[in-house]
Amino acid sequence: MVQIYSLIVGVGILQGAFGAPQPDADKAIQERQGYYFQNWSEGGSNIRCSNGQGGSFSANWNSRGGFVCGKGWSGGGARTIKYSGTYNATGPGYLAVYGWTRNPLVEYYILESYAELAPNEPWTSKGNFTIDEGTFEVFTSTRVNKPSIEGTRTFQQFWSVRSEKRVGGTVTTQKHFDEWAKRGMRLGRYDYVVMAVEGYTATGGGGSAGSASITLG
C-alpha cells in the first residue's frame, strides 16, 4: 500500500497510511483554518517532504518512485494562488497547481515549471491560450485503473502547461477552468487543491531528483 499523510496546519490532526491519493473513508477531517498538507509516495526511496510553518513546504528527492509533496486547501476550487520559492530538478516531474474533482473524477494540473515532460499516458493537445499570467497549452489524458482519491479508478487528467517556465507568481485557477470548459473539458465537485512538487519514473526511463522550497501567500 502506498503511504500518504494529510495534515491541517493549525488544527493538529494527522492522518496516515491510507490508499493513494486519498479515499473518502480516510478523509474525516474538518478544516477550520490553515493549510492542507499532502505527502504521497509509492515505490520510491530517498524522498523527503517537509511541512514548514504557515504556507511553506520543502522537498528533497532522488528516487525511481513517484511522489507528490504540496500544500494548499481542502475543498479547493477556484482560487487565486500566490507563491514564491525555488525549484531545481532533473528527470520527469513538475512544479504545479494540482487538484482533483469528483463526479466526474478528474485529476488536474497547472504546470508552472518542470524538468522533463515525460507523460506515461498519451497526451492529446487541445490548443493554446494566453492570459495575463502567461501562455499555456492544454492537454488531456486518461489513466486506466490507477490510484485516485476514490481508490483504483479510470479517470481523465486535464493539463495547462506554461510555455515559459517560472517559479513564483500568481495562478488564478478559474481562468484555466474557463479555458478548459471552452474545450469541453468538464470538471466536477472540487476536492483538494495544492501547490505541489511531483516526481516520477517515466516508462522505460529513469527516475527524478531535485529540491524545492515553496511558500504560499
Side-chain angles (χ1 to χ4, degrees), residues 149-191:
I149 59 174
E150 296 180 354
T152 300
R153 292 281 304 275
T154 295
F155 54 90
Q156 280 198 298
Q157 296 175 308
F158 295 170
W159 307 80
S160 286
V161 180
R162 173 178 288 279
S163 61
E164 295 185 2
K165 295 183 283 187
R166 68 176 185 177
V167 182
T170 299
V171 181
T172 306
T173 62
Q174 187 63 57
K175 295 179 179 180
H176 295 266
F177 299 163
D178 290 344
E179 292 292 335
W180 296 346
K182 292 176 185 177
R183 293 160 172 81
M185 299 162 60
R186 185 171 68 90
L187 294 169
R189 176 173 56 86
Y190 299 118
D191 204 86

Short mmCIF file of all heavy atoms in Angstrom, two decimals, residues 149-191:
data_model
loop_
_atom_site.label_atom_id
_atom_site.label_comp_id
_atom_site.label_asym_id
_atom_site.label_seq_id
_atom_site.Cartn_x
_atom_site.Cartn_y
_atom_site.Cartn_z
N ILE A 149 -8.34 9.52 -5.72
CA ILE A 149 -8.95 9.85 -4.43
C ILE A 149 -10.15 8.97 -4.13
O ILE A 149 -10.70 9.02 -3.02
CB ILE A 149 -9.35 11.34 -4.36
CG1 ILE A 149 -10.34 11.70 -5.47
CG2 ILE A 149 -8.12 12.23 -4.38
CD1 ILE A 149 -10.89 13.12 -5.35
N GLU A 150 -10.57 8.17 -5.11
CA GLU A 150 -11.68 7.23 -4.90
C GLU A 150 -11.21 5.78 -5.05
O GLU A 150 -11.99 4.90 -5.39
CB GLU A 150 -12.80 7.53 -5.88
CG GLU A 150 -13.43 8.91 -5.67
CD GLU A 150 -14.54 9.23 -6.65
OE1 GLU A 150 -14.75 8.41 -7.58
OE2 GLU A 150 -15.18 10.27 -6.48
N GLY A 151 -9.94 5.55 -4.78
CA GLY A 151 -9.38 4.22 -4.94
C GLY A 151 -8.90 4.00 -6.37
O GLY A 151 -8.68 4.95 -7.12
N THR A 152 -8.75 2.74 -6.76
CA THR A 152 -8.29 2.41 -8.11
C THR A 152 -9.42 2.66 -9.10
O THR A 152 -10.47 2.02 -9.04
CB THR A 152 -7.82 0.95 -8.19
OG1 THR A 152 -6.75 0.76 -7.26
CG2 THR A 152 -7.34 0.62 -9.59
N ARG A 153 -9.20 3.60 -10.01
CA ARG A 153 -10.24 4.00 -10.95
C ARG A 153 -9.62 4.35 -12.29
O ARG A 153 -8.41 4.52 -12.43
CB ARG A 153 -10.99 5.24 -10.42
CG ARG A 153 -11.83 4.99 -9.17
CD ARG A 153 -13.15 4.34 -9.50
NE ARG A 153 -13.90 5.12 -10.47
CZ ARG A 153 -14.70 6.16 -10.16
NH1 ARG A 153 -14.85 6.52 -8.90
NH2 ARG A 153 -15.35 6.82 -11.10
N THR A 154 -10.47 4.50 -13.30
CA THR A 154 -10.10 5.07 -14.58
C THR A 154 -10.64 6.48 -14.63
O THR A 154 -11.83 6.71 -14.34
CB THR A 154 -10.66 4.23 -15.74
OG1 THR A 154 -10.04 2.93 -15.72
CG2 THR A 154 -10.38 4.89 -17.08
N PHE A 155 -9.80 7.45 -14.98
CA PHE A 155 -10.21 8.85 -14.90
C PHE A 155 -9.41 9.69 -15.89
O PHE A 155 -8.37 9.28 -16.40
CB PHE A 155 -10.00 9.39 -13.47
CG PHE A 155 -8.61 9.20 -12.93
CD1 PHE A 155 -7.63 10.16 -13.12
CD2 PHE A 155 -8.28 8.05 -12.24
CE1 PHE A 155 -6.35 9.96 -12.64
CE2 PHE A 155 -7.00 7.85 -11.75
CZ PHE A 155 -6.04 8.81 -11.94
N GLN A 156 -9.92 10.90 -16.13
CA GLN A 156 -9.24 11.83 -17.02
C GLN A 156 -8.29 12.74 -16.24
O GLN A 156 -8.50 13.02 -15.05
CB GLN A 156 -10.25 12.70 -17.77
CG GLN A 156 -10.89 12.00 -18.97
CD GLN A 156 -11.53 13.02 -19.90
OE1 GLN A 156 -12.45 13.73 -19.51
NE2 GLN A 156 -11.03 13.08 -21.13
N GLN A 157 -7.28 13.22 -16.95
CA GLN A 157 -6.37 14.25 -16.45
C GLN A 157 -6.47 15.46 -17.37
O GLN A 157 -6.50 15.33 -18.59
CB GLN A 157 -4.93 13.75 -16.44
CG GLN A 157 -4.67 12.60 -15.50
CD GLN A 157 -3.24 12.10 -15.62
OE1 GLN A 157 -2.77 11.80 -16.71
NE2 GLN A 157 -2.54 12.00 -14.50
N PHE A 158 -6.54 16.65 -16.77
CA PHE A 158 -6.52 17.91 -17.50
C PHE A 158 -5.22 18.64 -17.18
O PHE A 158 -4.79 18.67 -16.02
CB PHE A 158 -7.70 18.80 -17.11
CG PHE A 158 -9.06 18.25 -17.45
CD1 PHE A 158 -10.20 18.87 -16.95
CD2 PHE A 158 -9.23 17.15 -18.28
CE1 PHE A 158 -11.47 18.39 -17.27
CE2 PHE A 158 -10.49 16.65 -18.59
CZ PHE A 158 -11.61 17.28 -18.09
N TRP A 159 -4.63 19.25 -18.22
CA TRP A 159 -3.33 19.90 -18.06
C TRP A 159 -3.32 21.28 -18.71
O TRP A 159 -3.80 21.43 -19.84
CB TRP A 159 -2.23 19.09 -18.74
CG TRP A 159 -2.13 17.65 -18.35
CD1 TRP A 159 -2.90 16.61 -18.80
CD2 TRP A 159 -1.20 17.07 -17.44
NE1 TRP A 159 -2.51 15.43 -18.23
CE2 TRP A 159 -1.45 15.68 -17.40
CE3 TRP A 159 -0.15 17.59 -16.67
CZ2 TRP A 159 -0.71 14.81 -16.61
CZ3 TRP A 159 0.59 16.73 -15.89
CH2 TRP A 159 0.32 15.36 -15.86
N SER A 160 -2.77 22.27 -18.02
CA SER A 160 -2.33 23.52 -18.62
C SER A 160 -0.82 23.59 -18.42
O SER A 160 -0.35 23.52 -17.28
CB SER A 160 -2.98 24.74 -17.96
OG SER A 160 -4.34 24.88 -18.32
N VAL A 161 -0.07 23.69 -19.53
CA VAL A 161 1.39 23.69 -19.45
C VAL A 161 1.92 25.05 -19.90
O VAL A 161 1.73 25.46 -21.05
CB VAL A 161 1.99 22.58 -20.33
CG1 VAL A 161 3.51 22.59 -20.23
CG2 VAL A 161 1.44 21.21 -19.92
N ARG A 162 2.57 25.73 -18.97
CA ARG A 162 3.10 27.07 -19.24
C ARG A 162 4.20 27.00 -20.28
O ARG A 162 5.08 26.13 -20.23
CB ARG A 162 3.63 27.67 -17.93
CG ARG A 162 4.37 28.98 -18.08
CD ARG A 162 4.81 29.50 -16.72
NE ARG A 162 3.67 29.97 -15.96
CZ ARG A 162 3.11 31.16 -16.12
NH1 ARG A 162 3.60 32.00 -17.03
NH2 ARG A 162 2.08 31.53 -15.38
N SER A 163 4.18 27.93 -21.25
CA SER A 163 5.20 27.93 -22.30
C SER A 163 6.54 28.47 -21.80
O SER A 163 7.59 28.03 -22.26
CB SER A 163 4.73 28.72 -23.52
OG SER A 163 4.48 30.08 -23.17
N GLU A 164 6.50 29.43 -20.90
CA GLU A 164 7.73 29.98 -20.30
C GLU A 164 7.72 29.62 -18.82
O GLU A 164 6.94 30.17 -18.05
CB GLU A 164 7.80 31.50 -20.49
CG GLU A 164 7.94 31.91 -21.95
CD GLU A 164 8.13 33.41 -22.10
OE1 GLU A 164 8.19 34.12 -21.06
OE2 GLU A 164 8.22 33.88 -23.25
N LYS A 165 8.59 28.70 -18.46
CA LYS A 165 8.61 28.22 -17.08
C LYS A 165 8.97 29.34 -16.10
O LYS A 165 9.72 30.25 -16.43
CB LYS A 165 9.61 27.06 -16.95
CG LYS A 165 9.22 25.84 -17.74
CD LYS A 165 10.20 24.70 -17.53
CE LYS A 165 11.47 24.89 -18.30
NZ LYS A 165 12.35 23.69 -18.22
N ARG A 166 8.41 29.23 -14.89
CA ARG A 166 8.73 30.21 -13.85
C ARG A 166 8.59 29.54 -12.49
O ARG A 166 7.94 28.50 -12.36
CB ARG A 166 7.81 31.42 -13.91
CG ARG A 166 6.37 31.11 -13.54
CD ARG A 166 5.49 32.33 -13.52
NE ARG A 166 4.13 32.01 -13.04
CZ ARG A 166 3.16 32.90 -12.87
NH1 ARG A 166 3.37 34.17 -13.18
NH2 ARG A 166 1.98 32.52 -12.41
N VAL A 167 9.16 30.15 -11.48
CA VAL A 167 9.00 29.72 -10.09
C VAL A 167 8.66 30.96 -9.28
O VAL A 167 9.53 31.74 -8.90
CB VAL A 167 10.26 29.03 -9.54
CG1 VAL A 167 10.02 28.55 -8.10
CG2 VAL A 167 10.69 27.88 -10.43
N GLY A 168 7.37 31.16 -9.06
CA GLY A 168 6.91 32.33 -8.33
C GLY A 168 5.95 33.15 -9.16
O GLY A 168 6.14 33.33 -10.37
N GLY A 169 4.86 33.59 -8.52
CA GLY A 169 3.88 34.40 -9.22
C GLY A 169 2.48 34.11 -8.73
O GLY A 169 2.28 33.61 -7.62
N THR A 170 1.50 34.41 -9.58
CA THR A 170 0.09 34.24 -9.25
C THR A 170 -0.56 33.30 -10.25
O THR A 170 -0.35 33.42 -11.46
CB THR A 170 -0.65 35.59 -9.28
OG1 THR A 170 -0.06 36.46 -8.31
CG2 THR A 170 -2.12 35.41 -8.96
N VAL A 171 -1.33 32.34 -9.74
CA VAL A 171 -2.10 31.42 -10.58
C VAL A 171 -3.57 31.59 -10.22
O VAL A 171 -3.97 31.32 -9.09
CB VAL A 171 -1.67 29.96 -10.36
CG1 VAL A 171 -2.49 29.04 -11.26
CG2 VAL A 171 -0.18 29.77 -10.61
N THR A 172 -4.36 32.04 -11.18
CA THR A 172 -5.79 32.18 -10.99
C THR A 172 -6.47 30.97 -11.62
O THR A 172 -6.61 30.88 -12.84
CB THR A 172 -6.30 33.48 -11.63
OG1 THR A 172 -5.54 34.59 -11.13
CG2 THR A 172 -7.78 33.71 -11.31
N THR A 173 -6.87 30.03 -10.79
CA THR A 173 -7.33 28.76 -11.33
C THR A 173 -8.59 28.90 -12.18
O THR A 173 -8.77 28.15 -13.15
CB THR A 173 -7.57 27.74 -10.20
OG1 THR A 173 -8.59 28.22 -9.33
CG2 THR A 173 -6.30 27.49 -9.41
N GLN A 174 -9.46 29.85 -11.85
CA GLN A 174 -10.70 30.00 -12.62
C GLN A 174 -10.42 30.29 -14.08
O GLN A 174 -11.18 29.85 -14.97
CB GLN A 174 -11.58 31.09 -12.02
CG GLN A 174 -12.96 31.19 -12.65
CD GLN A 174 -13.78 29.92 -12.44
OE1 GLN A 174 -14.00 29.51 -11.31
NE2 GLN A 174 -14.24 29.30 -13.52
N LYS A 175 -9.34 31.00 -14.37
CA LYS A 175 -9.01 31.31 -15.76
C LYS A 175 -8.70 30.04 -16.55
O LYS A 175 -9.05 29.93 -17.73
CB LYS A 175 -7.84 32.29 -15.81
CG LYS A 175 -8.17 33.65 -15.21
CD LYS A 175 -6.98 34.61 -15.24
CE LYS A 175 -7.37 35.96 -14.64
NZ LYS A 175 -6.25 36.93 -14.64
N HIS A 176 -8.08 29.07 -15.89
CA HIS A 176 -7.80 27.80 -16.54
C HIS A 176 -9.08 26.97 -16.65
O HIS A 176 -9.34 26.35 -17.69
CB HIS A 176 -6.72 27.05 -15.77
CG HIS A 176 -5.41 27.75 -15.79
ND1 HIS A 176 -4.42 27.48 -16.71
CD2 HIS A 176 -4.93 28.76 -15.01
CE1 HIS A 176 -3.38 28.26 -16.50
NE2 HIS A 176 -3.66 29.04 -15.47
N PHE A 177 -9.88 26.97 -15.61
CA PHE A 177 -11.13 26.23 -15.64
C PHE A 177 -12.02 26.73 -16.79
O PHE A 177 -12.68 25.93 -17.47
CB PHE A 177 -11.88 26.36 -14.32
CG PHE A 177 -11.14 25.83 -13.12
CD1 PHE A 177 -11.52 26.20 -11.83
CD2 PHE A 177 -10.06 24.96 -13.25
CE1 PHE A 177 -10.86 25.70 -10.71
CE2 PHE A 177 -9.39 24.46 -12.14
CZ PHE A 177 -9.79 24.83 -10.87
N ASP A 178 -12.04 28.05 -16.99
CA ASP A 178 -12.86 28.62 -18.07
C ASP A 178 -12.34 28.18 -19.44
O ASP A 178 -13.14 27.86 -20.34
CB ASP A 178 -12.85 30.15 -17.98
CG ASP A 178 -13.62 30.69 -16.79
OD1 ASP A 178 -14.41 29.92 -16.19
OD2 ASP A 178 -13.43 31.87 -16.45
N GLU A 179 -11.02 28.18 -19.61
CA GLU A 179 -10.45 27.75 -20.88
C GLU A 179 -10.69 26.27 -21.13
O GLU A 179 -10.95 25.85 -22.27
CB GLU A 179 -8.95 28.06 -20.91
CG GLU A 179 -8.61 29.54 -20.95
CD GLU A 179 -9.01 30.19 -22.28
OE1 GLU A 179 -9.11 29.48 -23.29
OE2 GLU A 179 -9.23 31.42 -22.27
N TRP A 180 -10.62 25.48 -20.08
CA TRP A 180 -10.91 24.05 -20.24
C TRP A 180 -12.37 23.84 -20.64
O TRP A 180 -12.68 23.01 -21.50
CB TRP A 180 -10.59 23.30 -18.95
CG TRP A 180 -9.14 23.33 -18.57
CD1 TRP A 180 -8.09 23.70 -19.36
CD2 TRP A 180 -8.58 22.95 -17.31
NE1 TRP A 180 -6.91 23.59 -18.65
CE2 TRP A 180 -7.18 23.14 -17.40
CE3 TRP A 180 -9.11 22.50 -16.10
CZ2 TRP A 180 -6.32 22.86 -16.34
CZ3 TRP A 180 -8.27 22.23 -15.04
CH2 TRP A 180 -6.87 22.41 -15.16
N ALA A 181 -13.27 24.59 -20.01
CA ALA A 181 -14.70 24.44 -20.31
C ALA A 181 -14.99 24.77 -21.78
O ALA A 181 -15.84 24.13 -22.41
CB ALA A 181 -15.52 25.35 -19.40
N LYS A 182 -14.28 25.75 -22.34
CA LYS A 182 -14.46 26.10 -23.75
C LYS A 182 -14.11 24.93 -24.66
O LYS A 182 -14.58 24.86 -25.80
CB LYS A 182 -13.58 27.30 -24.11
CG LYS A 182 -13.97 28.61 -23.46
CD LYS A 182 -12.97 29.69 -23.82
CE LYS A 182 -13.26 31.00 -23.10
NZ LYS A 182 -12.25 32.04 -23.39
N ARG A 183 -13.28 24.03 -24.17
CA ARG A 183 -12.82 22.88 -24.95
C ARG A 183 -13.58 21.61 -24.59
O ARG A 183 -13.15 20.51 -24.94
CB ARG A 183 -11.31 22.70 -24.72
CG ARG A 183 -10.49 23.84 -25.31
CD ARG A 183 -9.09 23.93 -24.70
NE ARG A 183 -8.26 24.90 -25.42
CZ ARG A 183 -8.31 26.21 -25.22
NH1 ARG A 183 -9.15 26.71 -24.32
NH2 ARG A 183 -7.53 27.03 -25.90
N GLY A 184 -14.67 21.77 -23.85
CA GLY A 184 -15.50 20.62 -23.49
C GLY A 184 -14.94 19.78 -22.37
O GLY A 184 -15.37 18.64 -22.17
N MET A 185 -14.00 20.33 -21.61
CA MET A 185 -13.35 19.61 -20.51
C MET A 185 -14.09 19.95 -19.22
O MET A 185 -13.89 21.02 -18.64
CB MET A 185 -11.87 19.99 -20.43
CG MET A 185 -11.11 19.64 -21.70
SD MET A 185 -9.52 20.52 -21.89
CE MET A 185 -8.62 19.99 -20.42
N ARG A 186 -14.94 19.05 -18.78
CA ARG A 186 -15.85 19.34 -17.66
C ARG A 186 -15.27 18.85 -16.34
O ARG A 186 -14.92 17.68 -16.20
CB ARG A 186 -17.21 18.67 -17.91
CG ARG A 186 -18.26 19.01 -16.86
CD ARG A 186 -19.61 18.51 -17.27
NE ARG A 186 -19.72 17.06 -17.27
CZ ARG A 186 -20.10 16.35 -16.21
NH1 ARG A 186 -20.38 16.96 -15.06
NH2 ARG A 186 -20.20 15.04 -16.29
N LEU A 187 -15.17 19.76 -15.40
CA LEU A 187 -14.77 19.41 -14.04
C LEU A 187 -15.99 19.06 -13.21
O LEU A 187 -17.12 19.40 -13.57
CB LEU A 187 -14.02 20.58 -13.39
CG LEU A 187 -12.67 20.94 -13.99
CD1 LEU A 187 -12.18 22.28 -13.43
CD2 LEU A 187 -11.64 19.86 -13.74
N GLY A 188 -15.75 18.42 -12.07
CA GLY A 188 -16.84 18.07 -11.17
C GLY A 188 -16.81 18.91 -9.90
O GLY A 188 -16.45 20.08 -9.92
N ARG A 189 -17.18 18.28 -8.80
CA ARG A 189 -17.17 18.95 -7.50
C ARG A 189 -15.75 18.97 -6.97
O ARG A 189 -15.08 17.95 -6.88
CB ARG A 189 -18.10 18.19 -6.53
CG ARG A 189 -18.09 18.73 -5.11
CD ARG A 189 -19.16 18.03 -4.27
NE ARG A 189 -19.01 16.58 -4.28
CZ ARG A 189 -18.22 15.91 -3.43
NH1 ARG A 189 -17.48 16.56 -2.54
NH2 ARG A 189 -18.15 14.59 -3.48
N TYR A 190 -15.30 20.15 -6.59
CA TYR A 190 -13.90 20.32 -6.21
C TYR A 190 -13.56 19.60 -4.92
O TYR A 190 -14.28 19.68 -3.93
CB TYR A 190 -13.58 21.81 -6.05
CG TYR A 190 -13.77 22.61 -7.31
CD1 TYR A 190 -14.71 23.63 -7.36
CD2 TYR A 190 -13.03 22.33 -8.46
CE1 TYR A 190 -14.91 24.36 -8.52
CE2 TYR A 190 -13.22 23.06 -9.61
CZ TYR A 190 -14.16 24.08 -9.64
OH TYR A 190 -14.36 24.79 -10.79
N ASP A 191 -12.45 18.90 -4.95
CA ASP A 191 -11.85 18.31 -3.76
C ASP A 191 -10.67 19.20 -3.38
O ASP A 191 -10.76 20.43 -3.51
CB ASP A 191 -11.44 16.86 -4.03
CG ASP A 191 -11.36 16.05 -2.74
OD1 ASP A 191 -12.39 15.50 -2.31
OD2 ASP A 191 -10.26 15.98 -2.17
#
